[in-house]
C-alpha cells in the first residue's frame, strides 16, 4: 500500500510534468493576447490536475510509463476541465467569484472574455489531440478512439448534458437516481475518459480497460459526492472556492438528500467498489488505489 507521503510525491512529480507540458504548449503560441492571457490565467491558477494524473496512473497500471503522447492527452483533458470550470462559474451558470484561489475568469477579465477563453481552451484541446495523433507512430484508429471518447465525455452525451441537468434542477427536487446521473455526467464522464484514455494509450487489454472503467465510474461519483460535502463543510481558504453555494442556489446534492454523514458513507462505499474493480491488478496500480483513498480524505 502506498503511504500518504508517497502519494504526495507521486502526484507532485506527475503534476509538474503536466504543468511543464502545458507551459510548452503556450510557449509555442505566437504572440500574447487578451484571449491567451485569460486562458493561461485559469489554466495556471493551481488546479489539482486530477484528471491528467488519473490518465497517467491508469497507463502505468497496465505497464506504460509517462511519455510525450500521454502528456499531450493530459494537457487536452486539463484544458477541457479548466474550460468547464470557467463556464461553470459564469453568471448564467453558478455565478461564482472565486476559483482555484483566485477571482474567477469573468471577474478578473470580463464575461465575454471568459466565454471566449473557455471556447478557445476546448477547441485547443482537440487540436492538441489531433496533432499528437498525427505525430504518433501508432495507428490512427487508436487516436480516433481517444478523440471520440473525450468528445463524447465532454459534450451532450457527457459533461455538458450533466451541466444542463444540474442547472435545470435548480430550485426543484430530484431523486437520488436523477442526482446520480447528473453527477455521473457532469463530473464522472471526464474522469472516466481520463482513465480510459490512459489505459488505451498503454495498450491495455479490453478486460483491463473494462475493469479500469468500472473503477473510474465509482471514483467519479465519489469525487462529486465529496465535492458536494465540501460545499457544505469545507474551508474556502483550503478549497480555493466558496462554500455554501449549492444550498444558496437551491441545488439538490447528496448532503441535501442524505445529510453529510450518510453522504460520506456513500462516498466510502463507492471508493470500496472502485478498489474492488481493480483488486486483481498488481502493485503497478497502487497509485490508482491511493488516489481513490485520497478522494475520500481530500479537503480541496
Ligand atoms: C472541480 O473539480 C469541479 C468538479 C467537477 C467537482 P476539481 O476539484 O478537480 O478542480 P481543480 O481542477 O482542482 O480546480
Ligand atoms: C462542476 O460542478 C462540474 C463542471 C464544471 C463540469 P460544480 O459546479 O458542482 O463544481 P464546483 O463546486 O463549482 O467546483
Ligand atoms: Mg456547477
Ligand atoms: Mg460550480
Amino acid at each position: 500500500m502506498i503511504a500518504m507521503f508517497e502519494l504526495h510525491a507521486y502526484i507532485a512529480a506527475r503534476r509538474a510534468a503536466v504543468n511543464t507540458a502545458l507551459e510548452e504548449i503556450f510557449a509555442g503560441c505566437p504572440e500574447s493576447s487578451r484571449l491567451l492571457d485569460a486562458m493561461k490565467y485559469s489554466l495556471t491558477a493551481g488546479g489539482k490536475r486530477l484528471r491528467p494524473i488519473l490518465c497517467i496512473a491508469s497507463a502505468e497500471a497496465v505497464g506504460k510509463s509517462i511519455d510525450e503522447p500521454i502528456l499531450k492527452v493530459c494537457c487536452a483533458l486539463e484544458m477541457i476541465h479548466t474550460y468547464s470550470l470557467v463556464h461553470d462559474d459564469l453568471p448564467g451558470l453558478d455565478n461564482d467569484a472565486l476559483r482555484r484561489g483566485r477571482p474567477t475568469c469573468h471577474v478578473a477579465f470580463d464575461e465575454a472574455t471568459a466565454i471566449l477563453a473557455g471556447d478557445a481552451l476546448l477547441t485547443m484541446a482537440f487540436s492538441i489531440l489531433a496533432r499528437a495523433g498525427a505525430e504518433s507512430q501508432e495507428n490512427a484508429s487508436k487516436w480516433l478512439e481517444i478523440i471520440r471518447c473525450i468528445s463524447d465525455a465532454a459534450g451532450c452525451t457527457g459533461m455538458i448534458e450533466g451541466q444542463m441537468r444540474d442547472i435545470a434542477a435548480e430550485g426543484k427536487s430530484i431523486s437520488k437516481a436523477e442526482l446520480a446521473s447528473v453527477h455521473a455526467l457532469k463530473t464522472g464522464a471526464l474522469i472516466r475518459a481520463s482513465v480510459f484514455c490512459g489505459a488505451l494509450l498503454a495498450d491495455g487489454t479490453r478486460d483491463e480497460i473494462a475493469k479500469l472503467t468500472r473503477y473510474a465510474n465509482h471514483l467519479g461519483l465519489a469525487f462529486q459526492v465529496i465535492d458536494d460535502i465540501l460545499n457544505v463543510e469545507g474551508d474556502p481558504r483550503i478549497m480555493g472556492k466558496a462554500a455554501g453555494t449549492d444550498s444558496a442556489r437551491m441545488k439538490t446534492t447528496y448532503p441535501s438528500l442524505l445529510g453529510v454523514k450518510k453522504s460520506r458513507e456513500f462516498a466510502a462505499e463507492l471508493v470500496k467498489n472502485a478498489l474492488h474493480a481493480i483488486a486483481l491488478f498488481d502493485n503497478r496500480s497502487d497509485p490508482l488505489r491511493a488516489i481513490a483513498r485520497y478522494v475520500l480524505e481530500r479537503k480541496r
Side-chain angles (χ1 to χ4, degrees):
M1 193 195 273
I2 292 194
M4 257 318 159
F5 72 90
E6 284 171 318
L7 178 67
H8 286 314
Y10 176 92
I11 286 180
R14 278 139 195 87
R15 187 183 287 144
V18 172
N19 287 342
T20 303
L22 285 168
E23 276 164 26
E24 281 167 5
I25 287 169
F26 280 93
C29 292
E31 58 202 58
S32 74
S33 68
R34 183 171 171 81
L35 181 61
L36 283 170
D37 288 349
M39 292 160 75
K40 280 190 270 186
Y41 172 84
S42 290
L43 205 48
T44 60
K48 293 184 287 295
R49 312 298 195 224
L50 176 78
R51 292 144 195 85
I53 290 165
L54 278 171
C55 179
I56 297 167
S58 173
E60 289 174 338
V62 292
K64 188 174 174 70
S65 34
I66 187 164
D67 64 6
E68 193 63 28
I70 293 181
L71 279 171
K72 288 285 162 50
V73 174
C74 288
C75 290
L77 289 165
E78 189 60 26
M79 284 182 182
I80 294 170
H81 169 60
T82 300
Y83 123 77
S84 82
L85 299 179
V86 170
H87 281 193
D88 180 72
D89 292 331
L90 286 167
L93 281 90
D94 289 353
N95 194 19
D96 275 312
L98 190 69
R99 169 72 66 183
R100 294 176 164 174
R102 288 184 182 178
T104 44
C105 193
H106 67 273
V107 171
F109 291 80
D110 55 64
E111 209 178 316
T113 306
I115 293 170
L116 297 172
D119 292 340
L121 282 167
L122 172 63
T123 353
M124 194 176 193
F126 287 100
S127 163
I128 288 165
L129 291 175
R131 278 164 207 265
E135 283 162 14
S136 156
Q137 306 301 319
E138 292 172 297
N139 68 23
S141 68
K142 193 199 266 189
W143 283 92
L144 289 175
E145 192 169 357
I146 286 170
I147 292 171
R148 182 201 54 75
C149 167
I150 295 179
S151 49
D152 285 352
C156 63
T157 52
M159 186 170 74
I160 296 301
E161 173 62 17
Q163 288 287 70
M164 188 70 241
R165 292 189 199 182
D166 178 284
I167 296 299
E170 281 183 6
K172 304 200 178 90
S173 71
I174 57 170
S175 68
K176 198 178 153 202
E178 284 167 323
L179 181 63
S181 76
V182 171
H183 282 16
L185 289 164
K186 80 172 186 179
T187 303
L190 197 61
I191 287 181
R192 181 170 56 248
S194 305
V195 170
F196 176 91
C197 290
L200 192 69
L201 278 166
D203 290 321
T205 64
R206 287 289 147 185
D207 179 59
E208 286 170 331
I209 294 178
K211 289 190 168 106
L212 287 165
T213 301
R214 270 207 296 287
Y215 161 91
N217 284 340
H218 291 297
L219 188 76
L221 185 50
F223 187 82
Q224 186 61 48
V225 174
I226 297 294
D227 194 74
D228 288 356
I229 293 171
L230 289 173
N231 198 276
V232 174
E233 58 174 30
D235 180 345
R237 284 167 306 181
I238 298 173
M239 295 193 291
K241 61 185 182 183
T245 53
D246 287 339
S247 75
R249 292 190 71 85
M250 294 196 290
K251 303 233 193 217
T252 302
T253 63
Y254 277 90
S256 80
L257 277 183
L258 308 177
V260 166
K261 186 166 173 284
K262 283 223 155 50
S263 299
R264 273 209 184 276
E265 288 165 9
F266 181 52
E269 195 186 311
L270 290 165
V271 165
K272 215 169 110 190
N273 295 343
L275 294 173
H276 182 71
I278 55 167
L280 296 179
F281 283 49
D282 63 24
N283 60 7
R284 290 174 305 182
S285 66
D286 282 353
L288 285 179
R289 296 189 178 94
I291 291 167
R293 288 190 295 273
Y294 151 81
V295 159
L296 271 187
E297 292 160 22
R298 71 190 183 95
K299 303 271 183 269
R300 63 181 282 256

